[in-house]
Structures are given as C-alpha cells and as structure tokens.
Amino acid sequence: MSIVQQVREEDGGLPAVLALAQSERLPGEPLPPGPRANPWRPSGAVADAPSRGVHELVEALWHPGDFHRTQGGSPTGIRRRPVPSAGACYPVTTHLVDAAGVRWAVDQEGTFHRRDPLADRAAGWPAPAAEIGITRLVFAVLPGRSFGRYRHRAWPLWIADAAYTVAAVRLLLGAQVGRVDVGPSAQLRSLLAVPRATDSDAWLRRGLAPEIPLASMQIPAEPRVDARARRALATRRSPSLQEFSDRVGDRPADEAERLARAAGQAWVRGASAVSSWSVQATASPTVVGAALWDAHLAAARLCYDAVLTGDRRARPVSGFASAGGQWILHAVAFLDSSGGSR
C-alpha cells in the first residue's frame, strides 16, 4: 500500500482504511522516514513573529528536552517534546491563522514563517477560507515518519498525536480556548489554504511534503499561558518500558493483563492502573473517527492531570487489533509516583 492510498481522506468522515488498522497484520519492516518538518522558507514564506502570547504557547507545546533513549538506555538523535507522540515520530505541525487572515507555518525550532499568499496563488494552491477577525491554531500532520513505521496503523496514531496536542492547548489556556474543529475535512484544508495530501505534485513542486490538517482551535490574539500548567507539561515524561517491566509480578491486575495481551506488549502488566477506550469493530468510519477523537482527548486529559497532581505518571498504549467484536482504540498505563504497590 502506498502512502498516497494510506492518507486519502474523504470529506465528512475518515477513510475506509481504518478497517486495516484493526487487523492483526503487523506493520513490517520500517520504511525510509520522511522529513521531520517542511522547509517553508524556500517556498516563499518569510521568518516573522506573531504575538508574544502565541509564541509562548507554541514554545510550551514543543520546546525540546533531553533525548529519547533506546530500550538499552543509549540516547537516540530525537529530542523529547512536552506533548507525547507514538514512536517519537512527532508528526504534528503547527500553523497559525491570525485575525487578519495571515497564515504562518511553524518549524520544529519554533520559528514562525509567514506564508506569501501571492506565491500560494501562483502555485495554484486553493484560496483561503474567509474567517477574518478570528485567530486560530491549526494542527496538521506530516505523515511520512509515522507511516514509515506503522503503515496501515498510522491513521489512528495521527489522530492520537493531534488530540494530545489539542488537549495540551486546553491545559495551557483553559477557558481562553474557543471553538475546536477536528477532521480531516475540506473545511480545515480551506482554513489552512493547502491542497489535499493526495495531490502530492502540488506540494512537491514547492519542495514541500503533503500535510493533513486535523484540528483547529480558536484562541485569543494574545493568549495567556498558565504558568503552573506550563511547568507541569514541561516535566511530563512517559515512564520507560523498563520501569513498567520491573514491576511485573506473579499476579498482575486483571485489566492490565487483558490490555497487555490485546496489545501484545508485556510491559503493560506492570501498570499500577490502566484506562482504555473501545468501539464496535463493525462501526462506520464516521463513528470510529468520532470515537478516536473522544478516546484520545480523554486519555490526554488523564495524562496531563497526572502531571498536575504529581501522584502518578502515564504512558499511552496504542496498536491494538480488534477482537471479540470490539476494537480497543487506545489505553493509558499508569505508574504511581513512588513505584509502590497497586
């Protein structure tokens, strides 16, 4: 299956390839990874800074920390980010549409690049939606790295990463967040003024990889980041697999055992508590899409609540196949902060 087939989206619902994500078929050997970020400046964008509050918000979401480590403990070349990502692929990209309709794309270093609408139109890109007077963050995914690692399981993981990002903005801004729209949809593509991800030629002609807009959030033009929430999010780290494995006993909790078997991940047995979300395996793509968003937003809130209270740590669990007529969409495994008993 090619990446173009995998990322094909239909307005009003998620693609039928969600059925493949439920299958027991393993992804196979990794494919060559795609770019970590799009080079917007060569395509006509200009480095520019929006409001200070927006800059602080994006910095709180993506500020790089220490390096991820392999299961053996050696550092990788990938830095951790406050918002978690399946397999440390970090496919989520950040865009800003301000009240005047100006569009920015943000790179992984947190630099804002103001897009040139004349260059967009000259390249035949779609005209933007007219929403003057509203400032929105738009989160898209750059699908290559996740697809290369997870293949047919990538769609739920793109939604997972986007949902964890949306929940992090809510954590940082609270009641300042207005309307939230999720996709994929023509509305989000129009808001961002980008071609379909399947129109790869339109992207590649400008030296860019296709992106899939998945969520937009209305925010103030000058948002105020909650200092306590920012400090908590900055310290969020998923416990290592070894930390869970060290706690595996002779009699794991029944639910932890069930999820460990369903995911094929033995380390889950060491969790002090687990939460999971599921949907009927035969549900329509539209129903499954809504359930995916609901499940991952709820899971993200639990993960972020844990760092606020400090009484436990959390690690997301994905990659379930459907069984018994149910598909476990997502789960969270917790470790109590002291590493004590269940």
Side-chain angles (χ1 to χ4, degrees):
M1 178 188 302
S2 72
I3 189 170
V4 172
Q5 290 173 311
Q6 179 71 17
V7 303
R8 188 178 304 278
E9 74 252 33
E10 300 294 340
D11 296 339
L14 286 169
V17 292
L18 278 178
L20 294 177
Q22 305 181 39
S23 73
E24 295 182 355
R25 189 179 71 184
L26 297 177
E29 293 298 318
L31 297 172
R36 288 202 172 277
N38 259 327
W40 285 92
R41 192 177 299 184
S43 71
V46 177
D48 195 6
S51 72
R52 179 178 177 180
V54 171
H55 190 276
E56 289 181 352
L57 172 61
V58 172
E59 176 76 2
L61 289 174
W62 303 121
H63 183 75
D66 56 342
F67 288 96
H68 280 274
R69 293 184 175 273
T70 65
Q71 292 191 34
S74 58
T76 68
I78 303 171
R79 289 193 176 274
R80 296 180 185 271
R81 306 277 172 170
V83 176
S85 173
C89 293
Y90 296 110
V92 176
T93 61
T94 306
H95 299 259
L96 174 71
V97 183
D98 74 7
V102 179
R103 286 158 174 76
W104 279 269
V106 188
D107 64 23
Q108 285 211 324
E109 284 67 48
T111 303
F112 284 74
H113 299 279
R114 176 167 43 81
R115 287 169 52 184
D116 181 355
L118 296 179
D120 287 348
R121 284 198 288 272
W125 278 27
E131 289 204 23
I132 304 302
I134 299 175
T135 298
R136 285 186 177 270
L137 278 180
V138 184
F139 297 112
V141 290
L142 196 63
R145 301 187 78 86
S146 299
F147 179 83
R149 182 163 183 168
Y150 297 108
R151 309 275 187 63
H152 57 285
R153 294 181 177 174
W155 254 115
L157 300 179
W158 292 329
I159 290 177
D161 283 8
Y164 272 80
T165 308
V166 168
V169 175
R170 285 196 177 278
L171 173 74
L172 294 166
L173 296 186
Q176 298 174 73
V177 175
R179 175 172 169 169
V180 177
D181 294 297
V182 299
S185 69
Q187 175 192 357
L188 291 177
R189 287 196 309 274
S190 181
L191 177 62
L192 206 55
V194 296
R196 285 180 174 270
T198 48
D199 188 2
S200 55
D201 287 344
W203 291 85
L204 295 175
R205 281 196 300 269
R206 305 189 67 184
L208 301 171
E211 296 189 24
I212 308 171
L214 286 183
S216 73
M217 308 183 72
Q218 184 177 343
I219 63 171
E222 188 65 71
R224 301 178 305 281
V225 175
D226 182 88
R228 176 173 173 261
R230 179 173 184 168
R231 288 193 298 270
L233 186 62
T235 64
R236 189 217 61 80
R237 295 291 182 270
S238 297
S240 69
L241 302 184
Q242 190 61 50
E243 289 181 84
F244 283 95
S245 297
D246 287 345
R247 296 186 72 257
V248 175
D250 295 332
R251 297 184 61 188
D254 291 344
E255 184 64 5
E257 175 68 22
R258 183 181 77 89
L259 290 177
R261 289 180 179 273
Q265 301 179 52
W267 62 268
V268 178
R269 294 187 174 95
S272 54
V274 292
S275 294
S276 65
W277 296 262
S278 61
V279 70
Q280 287 187 345
T282 56
S284 70
T286 300
V287 170
V288 174
L292 279 166
W293 278 104
D294 288 343
H296 290 101
L297 287 170
R301 285 193 293 270
L302 290 180
C303 287
Y304 299 149
D305 285 347
V307 297
L308 284 174
T309 60
D311 59 350
R312 56 184 180 172
R313 292 178 296 154
R315 186 180 184 93
V317 190
S318 295
F320 296 91
S322 62
Q326 292 287 310
W327 181 22
I328 300 175
L329 301 172
H330 192 56
V332 178
F334 297 97
L335 278 182
D336 52 64
S337 58
S338 62
S341 65
R342 297 183 181 87

